[in-house]
Amino acid sequence: MSAPTRQKRLSTADISSLKGKQPIVSLTAYTTPMARLLDAHCDLLLVGDSLGMVLYGLESTLSVTMEMMIAHGQAVMRGASRACVIVDMPFGSYQESKEQAFRNAARILQDTGCDGIKLEGGAEMAETVAFLVARGVPVLGHVGLMPQQVNTAGGYRSKGHDAAEADKIRRDAKAIGEAGAFAVVIEGTVEPLARDITATLACPTIGIGASGACDGQILVCDDMLGLFNDFKPRFVKRYANLAGDVSQAVATYADEVRTRQFPGPEHVFQVKK
Ligand code: KIV
């Protein structure tokens, strides 16, 4: 009797090979139950450092730690069996030197078993990306709007509106692609620039707020599920209204507890005869 075939996880090479063939479907995931729900539908799950804001209520991603990324990377790996899982490197864990970047990237790969890491940065990070890739660390690049640079960039505004800025982002993406990234996230960038970069790079681009011209799309899962009432940027499409559903469900529960409708007889253990 032959053993049942276990579905194989998509590798970073599989993700690269989708360029020009089919759009890459990606979402963020931070927990085991959510990874289980997303896994069958997504090519790539990103344990993004956006978890600092989404799960921990932090102001920005800057105080996210290696420990947080590793704990959530492990949780997502327990829930995903098909999608390629990438874990973000947190601010301060890779910018100092390529050696620091390798040490922390290796720790993320070893402690979580994930398929690769993501780091933010343009031409200034190209040497680090090449260093990591040459030593067995698959890298997902991230250019355009880079949330870890919020303090120097003066906020979260979209990028590429003037020629100088567009040129810089074009050079950044090219440098990261040529350094060996298996794909590059383009965030918050005007459409013609994203289109141009996508046409030029050998590896796929994955857009968030960077138009349908990219080779794939990524959204923060909690945003597209409508888990926040107070946050709806232009680039997010809401596919559900879970915040509304949760409020409604909890209001009904509260009412039923107060009126002693819950628990009903079907929820109560009786002594077995
Ligand atoms: O941290 C994150 O979730 C990200 C994606 C939004 C690309 O970097």
Side-chain angles (χ1 to χ4, degrees):
M1 202 173 81
S2 61
T5 45
R6 211 165 162 270
Q7 203 162 26
K8 207 173 146 275
R9 181 190 300 289
L10 292 174
S11 67
T12 55
D14 293 329
I15 298 297
S16 296
S17 73
L18 293 177
K19 187 171 178 98
K21 294 198 185 107
Q22 66 184 63
I24 298 163
V25 180
S26 328
L27 283 171
T28 62
Y30 315 122
T31 64
T32 304
M34 192 56 88
R36 282 197 185 118
L37 290 171
L38 307 183
D39 187 52
H41 307 283
C42 291
D43 302 312
L44 186 149
L45 294 178
L46 172 68
V47 186
D49 62 352
S50 52
L51 62 78
M53 290 141 109
V54 175
L55 297 187
Y56 291 86
L58 298 171
E59 278 291 305
S60 74
T61 58
L62 297 185
S63 38
V64 171
T65 62
M66 282 286 290
E67 286 65 33
M68 286 155 100
M69 296 312 301
I70 287 170
H72 288 279
Q74 290 168 339
V76 168
M77 285 298 290
R78 286 193 283 271
S81 57
R82 176 194 169 269
C84 178
V85 176
I86 302 300
V87 176
D88 244 341
M89 296 197 70
F91 180 68
S93 71
Y94 62 94
Q95 291 93 341
E96 193 181 321
S97 67
K98 48 193 196 310
E99 289 79 10
Q100 182 212 24
F102 180 77
R103 200 162 45 249
N104 284 318
R107 187 174 157 212
I108 290 174
L109 290 187
Q110 288 169 338
D111 288 2
T112 68
C114 72
D115 301 286
I117 57 87
K118 176 166 83 59
L119 55 78
E120 296 181 11
E124 78 287 356
M125 290 307 301
E127 202 186 327
T128 296
V129 172
F131 188 85
L132 295 182
V133 173
R135 285 158 182 77
V137 180
V139 177
L140 175 60
H142 184 151
V143 301
L145 194 168
M146 294 181 273
Q148 292 183 8
Q149 297 191 8
V150 59
N151 287 331
T152 44
Y156 295 102
R157 64 168 190 84
S158 59
K159 304 282 183 203
H161 294 276
D162 66 70
E165 191 174 68
D167 255 8
K168 178 178 179 320
I169 296 170
R170 206 176 279 112
R171 278 186 269 113
D172 283 345
K174 186 167 182 285
I176 296 298
E178 286 176 356
F182 73 87
V184 176
V185 169
I186 307 179
E187 178 164 357
T189 300
V190 296
E191 176 165 21
L193 176 59
R195 185 178 299 284
D196 202 17
I197 293 172
T198 301
T200 317
L201 288 199
C203 71
T205 60
I206 303 180
I208 172 162
S211 86
C214 296
D215 294 304
Q217 297 295 321
I218 185 161
L219 284 174
V220 170
C221 186
D222 304 54
D223 289 344
M224 61 84 84
L225 292 177
L227 265 160
F228 303 108
N229 282 325
D230 52 347
F231 183 69
K232 168 74 182 76
R234 179 188 170 88
F235 61 86
V236 173
K237 178 171 176 183
R238 277 195 185 153
Y239 289 84
N241 174 22
L242 293 195
D245 291 349
V246 170
S247 295
Q248 182 62 56
V250 176
T252 306
Y253 167 74
D255 184 55
E256 291 193 0
V257 169
R258 289 188 181 112
T259 58
R260 298 198 181 279
Q261 291 176 76
F262 176 82
E266 69 277 29
H267 307 117
V268 174
F269 297 106
Q270 300 295 351
V271 179
K272 282 188 188 130
K273 299 239 164 76

